[in-house]
Structures are given as structure tokens and as C-alpha cells.
Amino acid sequence: MQYSISVEHALHSLFYMIELPEGRAIGIKRIAQIHNLQDAYLSKIFSKLSKAGVVRSTTGINGGYLLAKDPKEISFWDVIEAIEGTTYFFRCINIKDKNIFNSDTVMQKKSQSCLIKDVMQEAEDLYRDYLKSKSLLWLYNSVRPKLSNNTNIAIKKWLETF
């Protein structure tokens, strides 16, 4: 199981949006500058985040993106789901139904759930629940105090420039 790099770019970008003044949007070019990314690439990511209700876009001279919800209400899973979708990693195609031993009455029960699929999806549900328990606010509160004073000052100045 592996997420695309877009998930990392989204989470890092959202981290810097937490301190935006209430109702203040940031342009995609400004966000892309933080990570040295192409704004067209980041725009595709933010389009997915917007569609999922993680961010919202505004138009006009001061247009851009802002968080659609309080950072404590945006989970890691919300971001992952917006970028990657909702499909489980493990996909069962019921190969047991084509097994050479399917003459066994246990194997013949097509309505019987595949235990392998059940275990894999249960494990993934636990994984998803953990990611749902980690919010952008949790990330901010875990990282920001550990940054150097110089970095915190630089972030503050960067936020004040628009």
C-alpha cells in the first residue's frame, strides 16, 4: 500500500494554511512557492480537496483557497480520501469460487464472505480510524512548537506578506 506524493503535498500545504486570518484566502502560486512545486500540479490537488470539502475556493483579486472547516475537524483521512478515493487497498475477486476444491460444501457457499477479505478490510478500517483521529490541528500543535525561533518568525513574516 502506497499513497501518491500528492497526499504529502496536500498535508504540508494545509499545514501552512492553519494560521491564515479568518476568511483570508491564499493563492495557489503562493502555496506552491513554499514547496517549490508547479502551481498547475498543486492546483489539481487543491481541486480534489475543494471537491471533498477540505478547502474552499474564492474568486476575485484576493481569491484563492482557505480551509473549509476548522483544522481540528480536518483529519488526515479526509485529505487521503480526497486525493486517493475511498477504495480499499485489498480487493477480493473471490478466487475461492474458481478453486479446484470447490466441490467441498464450505467452498460452494457463494454467499459466504471471504475470510481473507474480511480480515484485510478490518485491518484497513483500523488504519483508517487511526488516520481519522489525527487532525490538521494535531499536526500543527505537534510540529510548530518544535520549529526553531527563526523558522517561526519566517513563517509569520511569510503569512503577513499577503
Side-chain angles (χ1 to χ4, degrees), residues 3 11 69 71-81 85-86 88 121 124-138:
Y3 295 124
L11 287 165
K69 304 183 244 182
K72 70 180 174 209
E73 295 174 11
I74 301 172
S75 73
F76 276 45
W77 181 250
D78 293 333
V79 175
I80 293 166
E81 189 174 50
T86 60
Y88 279 96
Q121 287 186 352
E124 191 168 333
D125 286 338
L126 293 170
Y127 175 75
R128 289 178 179 199
D129 288 343
Y130 179 77
L131 292 169
K132 288 175 186 176
S133 77
K134 300 299 180 188
S135 70
L136 285 180
L137 185 61
W138 169 86

Side-chain angles (χ1 to χ4, degrees), residues 23-128:
R24 186 79 185 258
I26 182 172
I28 202 72
K29 287 183 182 195
R30 292 283 296 173
I31 301 169
Q33 287 172 345
I34 301 170
H35 310 297
N36 293 311
L37 297 172
Q38 295 292 322
D39 53 317
Y41 165 72
L42 199 58
S43 184
K44 291 176 186 176
I45 293 171
F46 270 73
S47 178
K48 290 179 180 182
L49 293 171
S50 181
K51 187 176 180 182
V54 174
V55 297
R56 64 183 175 87
S57 62
T58 60
T59 57
I61 191 117
N62 294 317
Y65 289 95
L66 53 127
L67 297 178
K69 304 183 244 182
D70 189 289
K72 70 180 174 209
E73 295 174 11
I74 301 172
S75 73
F76 276 45
W77 181 250
D78 293 333
V79 175
I80 293 166
E81 189 174 50
I83 303 298
E84 302 291 344
T86 60
T87 306
Y88 279 96
F89 292 119
F90 182 81
R91 294 188 186 135
C92 181
I93 59 169
N94 286 312
I95 64 170
K96 67 179 178 64
D97 295 343
K98 299 176 185 121
N99 189 299
I100 63 170
F101 303 109
N102 70 358
S103 60
D104 187 296
T105 55
V106 172
M107 298 293 268
Q108 288 177 353
K109 294 182 182 177
K110 304 250 189 244
S111 62
Q112 184 175 350
S113 181
C114 176
L115 187 57
I116 294 168
K117 178 190 98 177
D118 293 345
V119 169
M120 298 297 276
Q121 287 186 352
E122 182 180 340
E124 191 168 333
D125 286 338
L126 293 170
Y127 175 75
R128 289 178 179 199

Side-chain angles (χ1 to χ4, degrees), residues 10-22:
L11 287 165
H12 278 280
S13 298
L14 294 169
F15 172 85
Y16 291 100
M17 295 173 67
I18 291 173
E19 286 189 67
L20 289 174
E22 182 80 22

